[in-house]
Amino acid sequence: MTYNSKNHTGFTALLLFAALTFMLLSGCSSKGSEKDANSYQVIIENQSETEVYEISYSRGGEAYEAGGGMFADGSPIKKGDDFSFTFREEPGTLNLVFHDKEKEVIAMSSITPTFNEKRESTLLLTSVDGKLTLSNEN
């Protein structure tokens, strides 16, 4: 029995192409996770000059639920950028913590988001006298 490396190479290339195509189609999306009709979305818009690298939250007191996020590539959330969290139920009061590049806390805020008819709430991160402040846009 002889081994034909030419057939093996072609088959391997086809498998590699199929795997890469599958990963590209299933894993890459510019929208991130989709918000369904029954969820609540909190959008934090950075209107300050401060670059934020991570936002963490807790809700429900005693850290009933906690989470956080950052841009996947590690880039900062700069002025004009927004970042969002999606909840299955109205979150109530959120305790938000904003972190710099070294993961140091640069601001903390507790706020109850105000939701519109689309179940979206936009929170504005601004700087007043050098201090970061969070407020409801809606």
Side-chain angles (χ1 to χ4, degrees):
M1 182 166 161
T2 55
Y3 175 73
N4 186 346
S5 65
K6 188 174 183 180
N7 288 340
H8 179 70
T9 304
F11 181 70
T12 302
L14 180 63
L15 280 177
L16 182 61
F17 176 74
L20 290 174
T21 301
F22 176 75
M23 288 178 5
L24 180 67
L25 295 176
S26 65
C28 297
S29 171
S30 62
K31 291 186 177 180
S33 62
E34 293 292 322
K35 175 182 162 315
D36 71 36
N38 296 321
S39 62
Y40 291 82
Q41 187 172 31
V42 175
I43 303 160
I44 301 168
E45 184 179 311
N46 188 357
Q47 293 186 344
S48 75
E49 297 295 332
T50 303
E51 292 184 342
V52 175
Y53 282 81
E54 184 176 355
I55 303 171
S56 55
Y57 71 85
S58 63
R59 67 183 197 114
E62 302 292 322
Y64 163 75
E65 180 182 323
M70 59 190 290
F71 287 148
D73 65 358
S75 64
I77 304 165
K78 298 180 287 201
K79 184 174 185 171
D81 290 342
D82 59 50
F83 194 86
S84 64
F85 295 106
T86 302
F87 299 92
R88 289 179 288 200
E89 59 189 32
E90 193 166 346
T93 300
L94 290 173
N95 303 304
L96 294 155
V97 181
F98 300 87
H99 305 269
D100 65 11
K101 189 173 188 173
E102 288 77 35
K103 307 263 188 229
E104 297 292 326
V105 174
I106 54 176
M108 298 172 69
S109 183
S110 291
I111 192 166
T112 302
T114 304
F115 292 92
N116 62 21
E117 64 281 349
K118 295 183 194 177
R119 296 183 178 199
E120 295 175 344
S121 176
T122 300
L123 304 177
L124 305 176
L125 182 64
T126 56
S127 181
V128 177
D129 296 328
K131 181 180 177 187
L132 291 175
T133 305
L134 196 62
S135 60
N136 277 294
E137 177 186 70
N138 303 347

